[in-house]
Amino acid sequence: MTFSAPLEKRFARMLQSYPQKRSALVPMLMYAQDEVGSLTDEVIAEIADRLGVTVLQVNEVIGYYSMMHKKPLGQYHVQVYTNISCMLRGGFKVWDHARKTLGIGHKQVDADGRFSLEEVECIGSCCWAPAMQVNYDYHHNVTPESFDRVINELKKGGGQ
Amino acid sequence: MIYGLRDLMPGSEHEVKVISRRFDLPNSASIDTYLANEGYQAFLKARKMTQDEIIEEVKKSGLRGRGGAGFSTGMKWSFVPKNIQKPRYIVCNADESEPGTCKDRLLMQFDPHEIIEGMMIAGLAIDAHKGFIYIRGEYRFLIEIVEKAIDEAYARGWLGKNIQGTGFDFDCVAHSGAGAYECGEESALLESLEGKRGIPRIRPPFPAVAGLYQSPTILNNVETFATVPAIILKGGDWYHALGTPKNGGTKLTNISGHVKRPGCYELPLGISLRKAIYEVAGGMEGDKKIKAIIPGGSSTPMLVPDQLDTPMDFDSMAKQGTFLGSGGLVVMNEDTCMVEVALRVMRFYSHESCGWCIPCREGTTWLKKMLTRFHAGGGEERDINLINELAQAMLGRTFCPLGDAAAMPMISAVKHFRADFEAHLNGNKCPYEGRQ
Ligand SMILES: Cc1cc2nc3c(=O)[nH]c(=O)nc-3n(C[C@H](O)[C@H](O)[C@H](O)COP(=O)(O)O)c2cc1C
Ligand code: FES
């Protein structure tokens, strides 16, 4: 299989960057996942082949990292952070609100594949807590009200 | 969205800006701004020094690792053997995932060249020509900023072959992680950088001798590398004098939790907790009382208000039985349920335990289950001691320090806040519910 031209360019550069090809495995999986939507069997076989490792070795790695997934997430993957600094400033309120508003629970995808939800640990926004990420986009000092604003924007097709 | 400096660093008169001194300049991340403001001058200066002179200057500065353990950076560099005929590597730890810590991201966002220059100087010190910046996967926007800085440096001849005609070659690569706290642990990070699961390695040998691809490797935190150019330019003595004896310099400090002005501040080492909380961060929200303080990220044992006069440096924190850690101060007010805090912290460590060694994998899971039941009112008197005993049994018995990181805050929670645990007994619901 081939990926988009910019991604192929990135991969070509990656293969030059490391003294041992296998080092490119984790970032390659991440970027491929972002483009394809999930780590399909086809993606896994392709990357294993390019890096000269076995499919089993790739699967072993995928099983370890929490950002890697074999099933597609929603178009907007909403991640609510509830670790200590977030918790102290209302992270669980945002989390409860998110579940109610989106009608889905932890690691679930909604019926039309638009939103998925996950309770996550800490993204280094502790001083601007509680924090939330939609895909790679950061939101600080989240309240139930600002949560609604972000989600409504996305529903209207705005945002990223 | 990408937040600006005003949102992230509210500012304080107590700040001493060394590594953040360029953050305020327009386009601070660009190579033009960097070059116009002392950028890459330390590299040129270091190029004229011997390897031993560079290491000596870093030792003199009293710089201690900013990633958590506080080990002397100059010492660490001096452990790289001169006689091993293998390529050497420089690895920058930008995995930043210790709850309470959000400082390295500012360096990457506002002054990425400072990090690259620090890595190049480390390269000069040990004759390494290749550097990797391992950035946690969630920080995609920062990976893009750092990649752009690297591209600019290549385009302008500050990376690559024969840098500025000095005869020194150095390559630098930004590398994405994929969501794993354990990959911040140095040996697990190296495994991950080799394309494997982030399982820690047994030490010795330490990375200085057998690190990336079993080659001599210097691995430091982002902030540690970012500090090096200023030390080379202005001298180790100058830097040391900004802090306290044996605890040189300044530290990016994160203050979060129930304070009025949470944020990131560059503070001289040795400032007291009281000053940091009440003057720098503006005091407690709603003027409530302080109940507990996490001094250096969620893995460090908690302190209580009696200890507010402790200076924030490595040695003074150690005297109080805790650590300066990564500089992530989390302040909790009197309405905080410490059983809930312990539970949330343990849920994190149990999720992040890599599962390799049994005391960590089983210990964190067992403690999480027990604390979940306890917080819901299903606790028994004997559980309180059991929590402490279990945590004590993990200490020092795990393959990597993640087990200690999980155990230490539990021990301090039971020691300082037994009353909170007792209040949950006899099927009582959490007495703090609804108080925040
Ligand atoms: C579980 C665990 C997680 C860690 N996470 C980080 C991290 O995110 N960033 C970091 O710089 N150091 C982290 N460390 C510390 C590193 O192992 C290592 O000591 C440090 O990066 C060395 O750099 P320094 O000497 O400049 O501090 C972690 C350690 C452990 C045990
Ligand atoms: S605790 Fe919420 S981002 Fe760190």
Side-chain angles (χ1 to χ4, degrees):
Chain A
M1 81 184 280
T2 50
F3 299 96
S4 68
L7 192 56
E8 287 296 350
K9 202 172 141 206
R10 175 177 281 281
F11 285 171
R13 184 170 170 180
M14 273 185 193
L15 292 176
Q16 300 290 311
S17 298
Y18 302 95
Q20 295 181 13
K21 273 196 297 192
R22 184 175 175 165
S23 278
L25 181 55
V26 170
M28 264 175 104
L29 287 169
M30 288 296 288
Y31 284 96
Q33 170 176 285
D34 289 342
E35 181 162 299
V36 177
S38 63
L39 294 167
T40 60
D41 289 346
E42 203 190 358
V43 169
I44 293 170
E46 178 68 25
I47 291 182
D49 188 48
R50 290 191 191 193
L51 296 183
V53 295
T54 64
V55 165
L56 179 64
Q57 284 169 320
V58 178
N59 277 319
E60 216 180 67
V61 163
I62 294 171
Y64 177 90
Y65 295 94
S66 64
M67 290 176 77
M68 295 185 185
H69 48 89
K70 292 185 162 185
K71 287 198 200 121
L73 303 173
Q75 181 190 357
Y76 300 114
H77 185 49
V78 179
Q79 300 145 83
V80 177
Y81 290 78
T82 63
N83 210 306
I84 178 101
S85 303
C86 286
M87 175 181 103
L88 294 174
R89 297 186 81 95
F92 282 127
K93 273 189 203 125
V94 175
W95 171 239
D96 289 341
H97 181 78
R99 275 183 302 180
K100 248 184 260 148
T101 314
L102 296 175
I104 46 178
H106 180 54
K107 292 197 176 180
Q108 289 180 348
V109 188
D110 69 3
D112 52 9
R114 198 91 183 277
F115 290 98
S116 50
L117 186 60
E118 189 174 351
E119 183 194 2
V120 266
E121 293 294 346
C122 166
I123 34 165
S125 290
C126 323
C127 291
W128 315 287
M132 158 170 112
Q133 239 185 331
V134 180
N135 300 339
Y136 286 111
D137 208 20
Y138 274 68
H139 297 276
H140 288 171
N141 303 310
V142 182
T143 59
E145 295 73 40
S146 74
F147 178 91
D148 289 346
R149 279 199 297 277
V150 171
I151 298 299
N152 288 335
E153 261 320 288
L154 296 173
K155 279 187 180 158
K156 275 192 280 177
Q160 15 174 348
Chain B
M1 63 186 280
I2 296 188
Y3 292 87
L5 187 63
R6 292 285 158 276
D7 293 323
L8 307 175
M9 288 186 92
S12 155
E13 57 180 33
H14 292 290
E15 282 189 287
V16 175
K17 297 197 174 184
V18 177
I19 49 178
S20 65
R21 70 188 184 282
R22 275 179 292 257
F23 285 11
D24 231 352
L25 301 172
N27 286 323
S28 66
S30 81
I31 194 163
D32 287 316
T33 305
Y34 194 62
L35 288 170
N37 293 278
E38 304 179 320
Y40 292 114
Q41 295 307 306
F43 164 76
L44 293 177
K45 185 173 175 190
R47 179 65 182 143
K48 300 199 184 93
M49 296 161 70
T50 65
Q51 296 184 342
D52 289 342
E53 280 167 355
I54 297 173
I55 293 175
E56 227 14 75
E57 205 61 47
V58 176
K59 272 191 193 162
K60 237 199 291 178
S61 74
L63 175 62
R64 295 169 67 166
R66 302 303 196 222
F71 192 78
S72 156
T73 304
M75 287 283 269
K76 193 188 251 186
W77 293 12
S78 73
F79 294 155
V80 175
K82 290 211 163 94
N83 54 359
I84 296 185
Q85 301 301 320
K86 275 188 182 177
R88 290 126 195 282
Y89 297 105
I90 307 298
V91 178
C92 175
N93 189 344
D95 194 53
E96 184 153 77
S97 342
E98 168 91 356
T101 315
C102 39
K103 62 181 182 72
D104 297 338
R105 59 178 277 178
L106 283 103
L107 288 161
M108 290 187 269
Q109 182 175 346
F110 297 110
D111 205 349
H113 287 285
E114 190 173 40
I115 306 164
I116 299 170
E117 188 177 7
M119 293 171 69
M120 289 161 69
I121 295 168
L124 286 171
I126 65 156
D127 196 25
H129 302 278
K130 186 128 201 151
F132 297 96
I133 309 179
Y134 185 105
I135 307 174
R136 64 179 300 185
E138 293 88 342
Y139 278 169
R140 177 64 66 83
F141 79 105
L142 295 170
I143 298 177
E144 285 165 9
I145 293 172
V146 173
E147 274 179 347
K148 188 165 166 241
I150 290 174
D151 286 345
E152 277 180 334
Y154 274 108
R156 304 283 285 273
W158 289 100
L159 278 175
K161 294 251 173 291
N162 188 15
I163 294 170
Q164 304 293 319
T166 59
F168 183 72
D169 305 339
F170 198 78
D171 287 307
C172 195
V173 178
H175 179 101
S176 171
Y181 167 71
E182 174 62 2
C183 288
E185 194 282 329
E186 57 179 17
S187 68
L189 184 152
L190 293 171
E191 287 288 300
S192 177
L193 190 48
E194 292 181 7
K196 300 173 198 155
R197 295 164 75 92
I199 304 290
R201 297 175 180 170
I202 194 88
R203 276 148 293 170
F206 289 94
V209 178
L212 187 60
Y213 314 122
Q214 295 301 315
S215 292
T217 302
I218 283 182
L219 188 147
N220 279 120
N221 170 258
V222 170
E223 187 184 352
T224 311
F225 280 123
T227 307
V228 171
I231 291 172
I232 295 296
L233 266 189
K234 299 189 183 151
D237 290 333
W238 167 83
Y239 183 76
H240 198 152
L242 300 174
T244 52
K246 293 199 182 131
N247 294 267
T250 60
K251 170 105 197 61
L252 286 181
T253 304
N254 293 125
I255 311 182
S256 70
H258 297 132
V259 292
K260 283 186 184 142
R261 295 188 333 129
C264 182
Y265 303 88
E266 184 171 359
L267 300 176
L269 282 187
I271 190 171
S272 74
L273 277 169
R274 187 184 301 282
K275 239 189 193 161
I277 296 170
Y278 284 102
E279 295 180 29
V280 177
M284 299 297 284
E285 251 182 358
D287 294 319
K288 290 192 178 165
K289 285 203 196 95
I290 297 180
K291 180 162 183 178
I293 304 148
I294 293 175
S298 66
S299 64
T300 56
M302 288 181 267
L303 298 173
V304 289
D306 288 350
Q307 294 164 301
L308 271 174
D309 291 311
T310 310
M312 290 174 57
D313 62 45
F314 295 98
D315 296 329
S316 310
M317 284 294 169
K319 267 190 218 138
Q320 298 295 320
T322 186
F323 301 94
L324 186 65
S326 54
L329 202 71
V330 187
V331 189
M332 293 167 254
N333 69 21
E334 54 195 321
D335 293 333
T336 311
C337 170
M338 300 312 291
V339 178
E340 191 178 18
V341 168
L343 167 61
R344 188 64 193 86
V345 169
M346 193 45 68
R347 268 181 61 200
F348 170 70
Y349 288 105
S350 130
H351 179 257
E352 300 298 336
S353 171
C354 77
W356 182 248
C357 74
I358 294 160
C360 178
R361 184 188 66 208
E362 298 304 317
T364 53
T365 307
W366 191 357
L367 280 165
K368 177 185 79 174
K369 284 185 185 162
M370 227 158 90
L371 285 160
T372 305
R373 171 169 55 81
F374 204 104
H375 187 244
E380 292 174 37
E381 179 89 50
R382 60 178 185 168
D383 290 336
I384 305 175
N385 287 338
L386 190 56
I387 290 167
N388 182 48
E389 277 165 35
L390 251 173
Q392 296 279 3
M394 287 166 68
L395 269 190
R397 291 190 178 83
T398 56
F399 201 83
C400 91
L402 192 143
D404 298 329
M408 289 186 303
M410 294 308 112
I411 296 168
S412 73
V414 173
K415 177 175 152 206
H416 294 304
F417 307 106
R418 185 174 274 270
D420 271 15
F421 282 86
E422 284 166 353
H424 286 72
L425 289 173
N426 309 319
N428 287 340
K429 74 175 195 80
C430 175
Y432 294 91
E433 223 177 88
R435 272 174 65 178
Q436 283 296 350

